[in-house]
């Protein structure tokens, strides 16, 4: 443990695990029991990270550590607010839908249509009970896992399970909606996406919470792309203002595969996203796009890592942040070009817009290059709205407040426009406008 004060939190979580372990899926499967136990031991030995840890230097999780969040013992009763949950669905999106309430699958709210041959869309909990041997090669991997990932492995109860056989393609996106409703709940979703050779799929991972509820979501998504496979993944973090969100997305790529990540962080009092991808073969391509829009005293942290382990890999990383009030953002993007990864082409950019004097951003783009025939660039900017652009708009009859909102909207919209699913782009644009002063005027101008 990091210090003596961490022991009460450790003991509370160990006691919580002892109570909930028999209720978790796969509780009778030897490899599941062993994997959960090893993960819990890792957490017990390390404890919660502190700001003395380099990877957590700018993000304190003391608020999570001090609170008595506990894992759910039974399924949440969501009767009476199905209509509220429905507001988070994409009514105009033809998709397969999985809904989880407080970490448990809600079949009555989920709709999975007819699937092509070779495509499985279901829940991880069900797969752990019915075919645990099929999951063992994936769930036992812990590459780049943080201590929160270990905690997730120990407590995971459910999440989405998507598996595509060789050459299978799913035209409709899969919308996976996680709804938090219960105060003081600790929710540990695990999503597993496996795309075999040549397969294609788009997954929308979406987190929301009931306003007023203080809870903790600790989510992990694992993505495996085989030769020539394509996975497009969009994560929309829209947690309640009092919620805490720690998330991780870990991708492993094979020859000529393509992985695209869109990380949109709008909610939560404290949020952190760790996004990693590893090129395990030649010819891999990835694009990591992100937008964080925070205000008040919100804190959002993105840590990304791209490992170019083999030659001829291409990566593009493009993150933008908009910060207002006394909010704080953190961006740490690491691109590692390993020995032998010749002909790597990597670009990384992080642009940040500070709308208030009290907002703050800590940005650290990093390149580590151990090969000599590569093309790699990185950069970051931090600034305020351009006075010349504001003057230009005002000279054409746009009032100052509207001009500022319009420029902010354009700055953020550049990332939103990269998302290929039109209803998701539209929803994000609505969220963006709702957070901006004079957002209604922008709608009128549009």
């Amino acid at each position: 443990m990091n210090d003596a004060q961490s022991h009460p939190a450790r003991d509370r979580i160990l006691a919580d695990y002892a109570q909930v372990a028999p209720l978790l899926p796969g509780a009778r499967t030897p490899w599941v029991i062993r994997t959960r136990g090893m993960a819990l031991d890792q957490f017990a030995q390390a404890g919660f990270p502190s700001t003395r840890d380099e990877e957590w230097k700018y993000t304190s999780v003391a608020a999570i550590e001090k609170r008595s969040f506990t894992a759910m013992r039974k399924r949440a009763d969501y009767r009476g607010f199905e209509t509220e949950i429905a507001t988070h669905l994409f009514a105009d999106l033809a998709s397969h839908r999985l809904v989880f309430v407080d970490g448990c699958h809600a079949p009555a709210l989920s709709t999975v249509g007819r699937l092509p041959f070779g495509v499985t869309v279901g829940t991880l909990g069900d797969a752990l009970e019915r075919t645990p041997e099929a999951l063992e090669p994936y769930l036992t991997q812990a590459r780049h896992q943080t201590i929160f990932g270990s905690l997730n492995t120990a407590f995971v109860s459910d999440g989405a399970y998507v598996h595509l056989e060789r050459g299978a393609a799913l035209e409709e996106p899969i919308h996976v909606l996680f709804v938090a409703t219960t105060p003081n709940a600790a929710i540990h979703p695990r999503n597993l996406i496996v795309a075999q050779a040549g397969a294609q799929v788009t997954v929308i991972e979406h987190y929301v919470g009931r306003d007023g509820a203080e809870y903790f979501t600790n989510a992990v998504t694992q993505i495996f792309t085989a030769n020539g496979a394509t996975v497009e993944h969009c994560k929309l973090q829209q947690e309640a203002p009092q919620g805490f969100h720690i998330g991780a997305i870990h991708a492993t790529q094979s020859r000529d595969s393509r992985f695209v990540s869109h990380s949109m962080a709008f909610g939560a009092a404290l949020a952190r996203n760790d996004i990693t991808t590893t090129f395990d073969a030649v010819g891999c391509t990835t694009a990591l796009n992100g937008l964080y829009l925070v205000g008040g005293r919100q804190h959002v942290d993105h840590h990304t890592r791209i490992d170019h382990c083999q030659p001829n890999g291409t990566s593009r990383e493009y993150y933008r942040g908009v910060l207002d009030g006394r909010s704080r953002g953190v961006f740490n993007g690491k691109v590692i070009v390993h020995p032998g990864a010749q002909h790597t082409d990597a670009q990384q950019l992080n642009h940040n817009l500070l709308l208030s004097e009290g907002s703050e951003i800590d940005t650290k783009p990093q390149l580590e290059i151990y090969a000599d025939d590569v093309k790699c660039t990185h950069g970051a900017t931090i600034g305020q709205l351009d006075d010349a652009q504001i003057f230009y708009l005002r000279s054409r009859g746009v009032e100052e407040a509207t001009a500022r909102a319009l420029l902010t909207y354009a700055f953020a919209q550049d990332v939103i426009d990269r998302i290929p699913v039109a209803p998701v782009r539209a929803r994000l644009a609505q969220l963006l406008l709702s957070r901006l002063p004079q957002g209604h005027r922008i709608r009128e101008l549009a």
Side-chain angles (χ1 to χ4, degrees):
M1 302 295 289
N2 291 327
D3 52 56
Q5 294 180 346
S6 297
H7 287 279
R10 176 201 63 184
D11 296 341
R12 184 177 68 248
I13 288 174
L14 294 178
D16 190 26
Y17 179 79
Q19 292 291 320
V20 77
L23 308 175
L24 298 174
R28 300 182 186 87
T29 304
W31 75 261
V32 176
I33 298 170
R34 184 170 59 252
T35 302
R36 290 187 189 275
M38 292 172 59
L40 193 67
D41 287 343
Q42 289 171 355
F43 172 78
Q45 293 173 19
F48 286 97
S50 76
T51 53
R52 293 192 298 272
D53 300 312
E54 183 62 29
E55 290 298 303
W56 296 85
K57 182 177 180 180
Y58 300 109
T59 298
S60 171
V61 296
I64 298 174
E65 183 178 358
K66 292 175 182 177
R67 286 165 170 78
S68 298
F69 296 119
T70 56
M72 298 290 289
R73 303 294 192 271
K74 60 180 181 180
R75 292 182 179 272
D77 184 1
Y78 52 83
R79 290 174 298 179
F81 58 93
E82 294 93 339
T83 302
E84 179 182 335
I85 293 175
T87 63
H88 299 292
L89 303 177
F90 298 92
D92 52 351
L93 174 64
S95 67
H96 305 279
R97 183 170 68 237
L98 294 171
V99 179
F100 299 84
V101 179
D102 291 331
C104 297
H105 182 224
L109 302 176
S110 303
T111 303
V112 176
R114 186 174 181 178
L115 299 171
F117 179 78
V119 177
T120 298
V121 178
T123 70
L124 192 71
D126 185 59
L128 278 170
E129 290 291 338
R130 297 190 180 195
T131 57
E133 66 283 353
L135 306 185
E136 184 177 4
Y138 306 109
L139 296 187
T140 52
Q141 294 193 31
R143 180 185 277 174
H144 303 314
Q145 183 166 275
T146 70
I147 200 62
F148 284 99
S150 298
L151 201 59
N152 176 282
T153 298
F155 279 89
V156 63
S157 60
D158 217 342
Y161 173 52
V162 178
H163 189 280
L164 294 92
E165 298 290 347
R166 175 187 291 268
L170 191 59
E171 293 184 4
E172 305 87 359
I174 302 168
H175 182 201
V176 187
L177 177 64
F178 294 93
V179 186
T181 68
T182 303
N184 302 317
I187 307 164
H188 302 274
R190 173 69 67 99
N191 304 302
L192 177 60
I193 303 168
V194 180
Q196 298 291 3
Q200 299 181 37
V201 67
T202 297
V203 178
I204 304 161
E205 184 180 336
H206 191 182
Y207 294 87
V208 300
R210 298 198 77 187
D211 194 13
E214 187 177 89
Y215 57 89
F216 170 41
T217 299
N218 178 36
V220 173
T221 296
Q222 292 175 278
I223 299 171
F224 295 87
T225 59
N227 295 352
T230 296
V231 173
E232 188 112 18
H233 181 269
C234 179
K235 179 177 179 179
L236 174 53
Q237 187 275 103
Q238 196 183 345
E239 301 276 21
Q242 299 81 11
F244 296 86
H245 183 98
I246 304 292
I249 300 167
H250 299 305
T252 301
Q253 298 186 238
S254 295
R255 178 187 293 267
D256 298 324
S257 64
R258 178 174 176 264
F259 168 59
V260 181
S261 165
H262 309 274
S263 178
M264 307 287 129
F266 285 64
L270 170 67
R272 161 128 173 181
N273 287 285
D274 285 80
I275 304 173
T276 71
T277 186
T278 303
F279 293 1
D280 279 343
V282 300
C284 296
T285 301
T286 194
L288 306 185
N289 303 312
L291 172 66
Y292 40 99
L293 176 67
V294 289
R297 291 187 173 273
Q298 284 182 283
H299 182 109
V300 62
D301 180 344
H302 276 92
H303 268 61
T304 68
R305 174 170 173 155
I306 302 173
D307 280 277
H308 287 262
C309 298
Q310 298 294 333
N312 301 313
T314 301
S315 66
R316 297 291 183 266
E317 187 166 5
Y318 191 69
Y319 269 73
R320 288 195 171 196
V322 179
L323 300 98
D324 204 353
R326 299 187 63 81
S327 62
R328 186 173 186 180
V330 179
F331 175 80
N332 186 302
K334 184 179 293 185
V335 177
I336 303 176
V337 182
H338 292 262
Q342 305 295 354
H343 307 295
T344 287
D345 183 352
Q347 295 179 14
Q348 180 190 79
L349 287 173
N350 174 227
H351 298 307
N352 297 279
L353 183 60
L354 304 183
L355 301 180
S356 63
E357 292 184 0
S359 56
E360 181 181 349
I361 178 72
D362 296 288
T363 180
K364 187 180 180 183
Q366 294 177 266
L367 282 176
E368 295 184 18
I369 302 174
Y370 303 100
D372 54 15
D373 187 3
V374 302
K375 183 170 64 175
C376 299
T377 62
H378 73 304
T381 62
I382 303 170
Q384 299 175 328
L385 292 172
D386 191 323
D387 289 337
Q389 292 178 337
I390 295 173
F391 177 80
Y392 175 84
L393 290 172
R394 292 196 67 190
S395 69
R396 276 147 182 79
V398 179
E399 58 189 20
E400 183 172 355
T402 303
R404 290 182 175 276
L406 191 60
L407 291 172
T408 304
Y409 178 81
F411 177 86
Q413 188 70 22
D414 188 72
V415 179
I416 293 174
D417 284 342
R418 296 168 183 263
I419 298 173
V421 184
V424 177
R425 290 198 307 270
R427 175 70 61 84
L428 287 167
Q430 291 175 1
L431 287 172
L432 175 58
L433 289 172
S434 69
R435 297 283 290 270
L436 294 176
Q438 301 295 312
H440 64 286
R441 286 286 292 128
I442 298 177
R443 289 191 184 95
E444 294 172 3
L445 291 172

